[in-house]
Amino acid sequence: MSYQLKILHVNLTTGEILTETIQEKISKAFLGSRGINAKLLWDNVKPGIDPLGEDNVLIFGAGALSGTPAPCSGRTTVTCKSPATGLYLKTNVGGHWGAELRFAGFDHLVVYGKSPKPVYILIKDSRVEIKDASDLWGKDVRETTETLKSKENIPDLQVACIGPAGENLVKMAAIMCSIYNAAARGGAGAVMGSKNLKAVAVKGSGAIKYARPEEFGKVAVETREAVYNDSGAAGLHRFGTSGSTLPVNEIKAYPTKNFQRGHFEGAEKLSGNYLEDSGLLKRKVGCNGCVISCHRYNEVTAGKYTGSYAGGPEYETLSALGAGCGVDEVEAVLKANELCNILGMDTISVGAVIQWAMECFEKGVISKEEAGMDLSWGNGEAVVQLTRQIAYREGLGAVLAEGVKKAAEKIGQDSWKWAIEVKGLEQSRVETRSSNAYALAFAVNPRGADHLHTECYAEFGLSPEARAVIKEITGDEKYANPYLIEKRAEIVRWHEDCYAATDCLGFCAFSSTALYGVTPERMAKLYSAAFGIDMSEEELMEAGRRIVTLEKCFNVREGATRELDTAPYRLMHEELPERKGEGAILTKDKLDRMLDEYYELHNWDKATSWPKEETLKALGLENVAVELKKMNRLP
């Protein structure tokens, strides 16, 4: 007997609420979560719609194994058309919300239309209601979560909500789950705000059934042991992702002052080691089903930011709000992180737009009078003030709230040359001049430049497990070298497929593409045992490729071409000053060569980057081919 996934459809315009069971062939083709979200987005969003209009849909997809004993499987994918890029967006979040949705009997939630007034959706097992949220509008994430728990008299209610940034349609607004977990990138929080949807609160009391429970339990235990025993697991548990700060700084690849430099003198205070030694770290936190607990919780108990507390910060946050802005005052970074958490914003993008503004100030493009403050590098108080201004669209924050691409278009004077973005999304904190697989992955990422679509950490070969992965992909460990061009296309495509499957099943990417206990083979076995649908490793990876191709096609339907698969101007025209030779610059010629090999490997057209008709048919995407053909968007 197979387990069947269920979708909950809620229309905020009409008040209609429907449920749907997903057919087995769809489940096998798209796995769950991110994959089925991508199909729902393709089917329900027409090209050219306004991302902040009522024709956009907001789709939540719990991991297909979330709520089960499969280790690190508690993640949820949120999908919509991005207001930051006007293109495809999937953003992924941990916490406990996704598992709770499954306990309530649903795997996906699709939200349509727009409510005339603020509302929240309450899901209490099979009972679903659209309720008035007028009293919640204006509240921050902590206040909203606590108010809903009290109002519904459910202490362990799981809440996904927006803060003031989402209400104000800030293009980097996040959806916050379980308070401190963010579906951060691309502005999904603004889409939620545009629908006048303040929160989705869930309480489930059901149990998740498996088709073959003994088989599932055996593979789950084997997988958990493999994650535990990975050589990188202990460090990730102890220091979190910020344990990477010092090694990355040491190799001169730590983005500093808006990617002007690759080394930061104050990096020590932005490291996981310092957070632990200073006592700022109060405890380690895990998402549902996690066996690593890399998430952090910090409190500031001395100085002008006394009383600040929040989840995190991750490596990305410390880098974006710290070194990127030249700030080594970690307490200011923690305060800005707290504001991003409770006002509901992406720390990567907020840090990116602030450091861009600081460089504008350095170059005389923005004056102190125009900024309303001193934007010198290293001014932690300015970072804190601007973070709040962005959420409320006040002062210079109103310009920055549109994202760095549009801010540069408004300010002008060549400031686009130091706007570190691709497709309109601010680049995450990987120095892609010094890592070629990442550079390629960032360029082709359908949502813009970051590492959360294809994590190619293995190319550095920093562990025996990483080198083994590279050998499996390329045939030789010697390709575990981030400065090589050769085999980058193969490395990126394997990680794309693996990452997509990881998202679909709800696994944390750290367990499959940074640690390596969650292998494609184990994922296939777990899926087969859970759903009673036999799936080989090859079929699972092909499903990942089908999903990646469908996401690409969403952008093709919106008019995207090869020109959008690129890198920020600075990274292709300015050398890292601390490096000479290898890893100093990503040239256009280098990127073009990798792109050609990547498109060829996918059997996509090299001139346009568009998937070919034969490729789409081979992946079972015939309906996609028919629609693109009508639009003359097949090569």
Side-chain angles (χ1 to χ4, degrees), residues 455-573:
E455 180 74 88
C456 302
Y457 186 68
E459 76 165 330
F460 287 93
L462 296 176
S463 71
E465 294 90 347
R467 292 190 290 276
V469 166
I470 294 298
K471 184 176 181 180
E472 179 186 337
I473 299 168
T474 67
D476 198 318
E477 280 189 13
K478 71 180 182 182
Y479 295 110
N481 181 340
Y483 309 133
L484 295 178
I485 295 293
E486 292 76 16
K487 303 294 185 184
R488 298 309 103 172
E490 286 87 344
I491 291 169
V492 168
R493 194 181 73 162
W494 187 92
H495 282 86
E496 283 179 340
D497 299 346
C498 183
Y499 205 117
T502 299
D503 278 345
C504 289
L505 301 192
F507 284 111
C508 173
F510 290 140
S511 67
S512 65
T513 56
L515 310 179
Y516 301 95
V518 177
T519 62
E521 181 185 9
R522 292 191 177 107
M523 284 195 274
K525 287 180 177 177
L526 287 166
Y527 179 91
S528 300
F531 292 96
I533 303 171
D534 288 334
M535 171 86 68
S536 68
E537 177 183 349
E538 292 73 23
E539 288 174 320
L540 180 120
M541 293 292 273
E542 183 178 86
R545 193 167 308 157
R546 180 179 300 113
I547 294 160
V548 168
T549 304
L550 178 58
E551 293 167 339
K552 169 73 175 177
C553 288
F554 184 90
N555 284 356
V556 172
R557 193 170 64 172
E558 293 290 337
T561 65
R562 176 173 174 146
E563 290 180 2
L564 290 186
D565 292 349
T566 186
Y569 177 89
R570 166 163 286 161
L571 308 191
M572 291 198 293
H573 293 83

Side-chain angles (χ1 to χ4, degrees), residues 324-500:
C325 300
V327 173
D328 65 359
E329 185 188 4
V330 70
E331 293 82 1
V333 175
L334 294 179
K335 180 63 183 178
N337 173 61
E338 179 194 38
L339 290 174
C340 286
N341 273 274
I342 65 175
L343 302 179
M345 291 190 291
D346 173 18
T347 58
I348 297 173
S349 287
V350 169
V353 293
I354 292 175
Q355 58 199 257
W356 170 84
M358 285 180 155
E359 187 163 348
C360 287
F361 183 79
E362 177 186 43
K363 289 178 161 59
V365 175
I366 295 176
S367 67
K368 185 175 181 180
E369 290 70 29
E370 289 168 326
M373 65 186 82
D374 176 6
L375 287 182
S376 297
W377 297 113
N379 186 345
E381 180 59 27
V383 172
V384 172
Q385 285 187 40
L386 269 180
T387 299
R388 182 181 290 280
Q389 284 190 3
I390 291 168
Y392 290 100
R393 288 184 174 271
E394 296 172 347
L396 181 60
V399 177
L400 303 183
E402 288 297 303
V404 74
K405 183 173 188 290
K406 290 179 181 173
E409 290 170 358
K410 183 176 180 63
I411 297 298
Q413 299 189 51
D414 281 346
S415 63
W416 64 273
K417 290 183 177 178
W418 58 89
I420 311 299
E421 57 80 24
V422 174
K423 300 184 177 82
L425 185 74
E426 295 77 18
Q427 174 156 326
S428 62
R429 313 302 297 173
V430 178
E431 180 46 84
T432 46
R433 283 172 288 200
S434 303
S435 46
N436 286 332
Y438 273 113
L440 174 59
F442 280 36
V444 299
N445 187 334
R447 77 176 187 180
D450 75 6
H451 58 295
L452 298 171
H453 202 265
T454 312
E455 180 74 88
C456 302
Y457 186 68
E459 76 165 330
F460 287 93
L462 296 176
S463 71
E465 294 90 347
R467 292 190 290 276
V469 166
I470 294 298
K471 184 176 181 180
E472 179 186 337
I473 299 168
T474 67
D476 198 318
E477 280 189 13
K478 71 180 182 182
Y479 295 110
N481 181 340
Y483 309 133
L484 295 178
I485 295 293
E486 292 76 16
K487 303 294 185 184
R488 298 309 103 172
E490 286 87 344
I491 291 169
V492 168
R493 194 181 73 162
W494 187 92
H495 282 86
E496 283 179 340
D497 299 346
C498 183
Y499 205 117

Side-chain angles (χ1 to χ4, degrees), residues 541-612:
M541 293 292 273
E542 183 178 86
R545 193 167 308 157
R546 180 179 300 113
I547 294 160
V548 168
T549 304
L550 178 58
E551 293 167 339
K552 169 73 175 177
C553 288
F554 184 90
N555 284 356
V556 172
R557 193 170 64 172
E558 293 290 337
T561 65
R562 176 173 174 146
E563 290 180 2
L564 290 186
D565 292 349
T566 186
Y569 177 89
R570 166 163 286 161
L571 308 191
M572 291 198 293
H573 293 83
E574 297 177 22
E575 289 193 355
L576 268 172
E578 296 92 346
R579 301 186 68 96
K580 299 296 177 189
E582 286 185 328
I585 194 165
L586 170 70
T587 64
K588 188 174 186 307
D589 286 346
K590 193 189 290 185
L591 181 60
D592 277 340
R593 181 178 161 189
M594 292 192 290
L595 285 170
D596 283 345
E597 293 176 359
Y598 171 86
Y599 298 139
E600 193 168 3
L601 191 63
H602 266 291
N603 197 24
W604 297 354
D605 176 61
K606 287 196 283 189
T608 61
S609 83
W610 296 349
K612 297 177 182 177

Side-chain angles (χ1 to χ4, degrees), residues 124-400:
K124 192 175 176 185
D125 292 324
S126 59
R127 184 176 136 206
V128 181
E129 298 174 85
I130 302 171
K131 304 183 77 168
D132 181 38
S134 299
D135 60 329
L136 298 173
W137 209 250
K139 290 186 182 298
D140 70 29
V141 170
R142 281 199 294 240
E143 294 167 340
T144 299
T145 301
E146 293 308 314
T147 301
L148 278 172
K149 287 181 177 182
S150 175
K151 190 175 181 178
E152 298 296 339
N153 195 26
I154 305 175
D156 55 352
L157 187 70
Q158 287 298 319
V159 177
C161 68
I162 57 172
E167 297 173 12
N168 293 324
L169 309 184
V170 171
K171 299 293 176 57
M172 55 204 72
I175 298 172
M176 305 300 296
C177 293
S178 311
I179 301 181
Y180 296 125
N181 297 274
R185 307 241 66 199
V191 174
M192 195 160 162
S194 74
K195 295 182 176 300
N196 281 328
L197 178 60
K198 180 67 177 178
V200 182
V202 185
K203 174 59 184 171
S205 59
I208 295 171
K209 297 178 180 177
Y210 314 95
R212 302 197 285 262
E214 288 187 16
E215 179 184 330
F216 186 88
K218 182 181 176 183
V219 183
V221 169
E222 173 191 309
T223 306
R224 184 184 65 198
E225 293 303 311
V227 174
Y228 268 137
N229 293 326
D230 188 285
S231 61
L236 186 59
H237 168 71
R238 180 172 177 186
F239 298 117
T241 55
S242 54
S244 300
T245 298
L246 297 179
V248 173
N249 195 49
E250 185 64 26
I251 63 171
K252 311 293 190 293
Y254 191 47
T256 300
K257 294 186 178 177
N258 199 28
F259 285 81
Q260 291 189 55
R261 307 188 69 86
H263 186 266
F264 185 50
E265 293 298 327
E268 171 68 30
K269 291 184 69 177
L270 302 176
S271 68
N273 314 56
Y274 182 82
L275 292 174
E276 182 179 88
D277 295 343
S278 64
L280 290 165
L281 174 67
K282 299 304 179 187
R283 62 177 181 267
K284 297 157 187 169
V285 181
C287 300
N288 183 271
C290 183
V291 297
I292 298 295
S293 297
C294 74
H295 204 43
R296 317 275 98 178
Y297 176 80
N298 288 279
E299 292 179 7
V300 179
T301 56
K304 65 180 176 180
Y305 299 112
T306 295
S308 297
Y309 64 96
E314 311 290 341
Y315 162 86
E316 292 283 337
T317 302
L318 289 160
S319 176
L321 297 167
C325 300
V327 173
D328 65 359
E329 185 188 4
V330 70
E331 293 82 1
V333 175
L334 294 179
K335 180 63 183 178
N337 173 61
E338 179 194 38
L339 290 174
C340 286
N341 273 274
I342 65 175
L343 302 179
M345 291 190 291
D346 173 18
T347 58
I348 297 173
S349 287
V350 169
V353 293
I354 292 175
Q355 58 199 257
W356 170 84
M358 285 180 155
E359 187 163 348
C360 287
F361 183 79
E362 177 186 43
K363 289 178 161 59
V365 175
I366 295 176
S367 67
K368 185 175 181 180
E369 290 70 29
E370 289 168 326
M373 65 186 82
D374 176 6
L375 287 182
S376 297
W377 297 113
N379 186 345
E381 180 59 27
V383 172
V384 172
Q385 285 187 40
L386 269 180
T387 299
R388 182 181 290 280
Q389 284 190 3
I390 291 168
Y392 290 100
R393 288 184 174 271
E394 296 172 347
L396 181 60
V399 177
L400 303 183

